[in-house]
């Protein structure tokens, strides 16, 4: 069982010494959640850290006027909840399953003890936090752009983060609908749909159904250059 979990944790355990990885695996358990389940709420105690084994999780908050803002889509191999473990604070956002999901969960007392015994685990969690901070910085910079540019940059970013190569381009391989993509970009759904329809006409994206989109990176980058030149 431990060997299988080590394999499922993939790149995370490969960054650790074998004895450290074994200690980490022995401290946690696999938890199954269904699509739509809330894993944790903003403001809740940071009582555990998690690694996604399968499925997709969205990290989001609600504005004071009731608008959903999506910060990130998290996929297998990524760590969640590490900020609260490192600083001892509350959860900074909500986390909701976008599909049936398996999590490897380690309780706060256990992971805190492991970080003291094995400093490389603390470094691992710090790297996960830094990676998210870098991605957040890029997203904030992108959000200052003209709406069509913001949408194209977001689609390119998602194709790099969660894309899977397929015939005709890169499939955004997460179960996300256009409403959620619009909330991720920070635009209205009508604006998002209009721009995506324009991009579809020129072959920059191909949309099949509500939760499948393929990005033609070459065409999209060319269109992005044209928009930048016309601004």
């Amino acid at each position: 069982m431990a060997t299988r979990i080590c394999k499922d944790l993939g790149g995370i355990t490969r960054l650790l010494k074998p004895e450290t990885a074994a200690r980490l695996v022995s401290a946690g358990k696999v938890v199954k959640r269904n699509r739509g389940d809330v894993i944790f709420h903003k403001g809740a105690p940071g009582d555990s850290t998690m690694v996604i084994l399968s499925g997709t999780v969205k990290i989001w908050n609600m504005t004071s006027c009731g608008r959903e803002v999506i910060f990130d889509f998290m996929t297998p191999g990524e760590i969640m909840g590490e900020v609260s473990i490192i600083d001892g604070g509350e959860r900074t956002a909500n986390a909701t399953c976008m599909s049936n999901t398996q999590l490897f969960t380690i309780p706060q007392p256990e992971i805190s003890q492991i970080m003291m015994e094995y400093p490389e685990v603390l470094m691992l969690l710090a790297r996960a936090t830094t990676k998210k901070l870098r991605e957040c910085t890029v997203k904030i910079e992108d959000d200052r752009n003209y709406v069509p540019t913001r949408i194209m940059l977001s689609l390119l970013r998602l194709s790099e983060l969660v894309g899977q190569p397929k015939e005709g381009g890169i499939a955004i391989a997460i179960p996300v609908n256009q409403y959620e993509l619009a909330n991720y970009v920070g635009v209205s759904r009508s604006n998002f749909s209009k721009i995506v329809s324009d991009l579809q006409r020129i072959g920059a994206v191909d949309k099949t159904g509500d939760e499948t989109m393929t990005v033609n990176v070459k065409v999209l980058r060319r269109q992005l250059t044209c928009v930048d030149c016309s601004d």
Side-chain angles (χ1 to χ4, degrees), residues 68-229:
E68 181 187 67
V69 177
I70 297 177
F71 302 122
D72 202 2
F73 298 110
M74 305 195 68
T75 54
E78 294 192 270
I79 300 173
M80 295 194 310
E82 78 286 352
V83 173
S84 298
I85 296 297
I86 292 173
D87 70 6
E90 299 174 338
R91 302 295 192 192
T92 58
N94 305 291
T96 301
C97 297
M98 300 180 68
S99 62
N100 292 341
T101 301
Q102 283 191 317
L103 304 168
F104 184 72
T105 303
I106 307 174
Q108 185 274 333
E110 287 284 348
I111 191 67
S112 295
Q113 182 63 37
I114 291 171
M115 287 191 295
M116 288 191 290
E117 295 174 4
Y118 303 93
E120 61 186 302
V121 174
L122 175 58
M123 289 302 299
L124 180 71
L125 298 184
R127 288 191 200 101
T129 301
T130 302
K131 177 176 178 288
K132 292 173 188 175
L133 179 60
R134 289 182 182 277
E135 291 170 358
C136 184
T137 301
V138 171
K139 188 173 184 297
I140 290 171
E141 291 174 350
D142 290 351
D143 286 350
R144 295 177 181 269
N145 288 297
Y146 181 51
V147 169
T149 300
R150 286 164 60 185
I151 291 173
M152 287 187 281
L153 286 170
S154 293
L155 292 177
L156 285 171
R157 183 167 60 247
L158 285 173
S159 72
E160 293 171 358
L161 294 175
V162 296
Q164 293 183 356
K166 61 172 288 187
E167 185 177 354
I170 305 292
I172 296 178
I174 54 176
V176 55
N177 58 43
Q178 289 208 47
Y179 174 77
E180 289 164 321
L181 283 174
N183 289 343
Y184 175 71
V185 178
V187 300
S188 68
R189 181 173 181 176
S190 58
N191 266 343
F192 185 85
S193 296
K194 179 182 181 303
I195 299 302
V196 167
S197 293
D198 292 341
L199 293 173
Q200 195 166 8
R201 279 194 290 272
I202 64 171
V205 301
D206 180 35
K207 184 171 69 69
T208 305
D210 197 35
E211 294 187 349
T212 304
M213 185 177 296
T214 301
V215 174
N216 186 317
V217 173
K218 184 176 180 180
V219 175
L220 193 57
R221 288 192 184 280
R222 184 168 64 239
Q223 180 65 14
L224 188 58
T225 301
C226 293
V227 170
D228 288 343
C229 290

Side-chain angles (χ1 to χ4, degrees), residues 40-50 81-82 84 89-93:
F40 53 75
H41 290 280
K42 179 181 179 180
D47 57 1
S48 63
T49 190
M50 291 146 275
E82 78 286 352
S84 298
E90 299 174 338
R91 302 295 192 192
T92 58

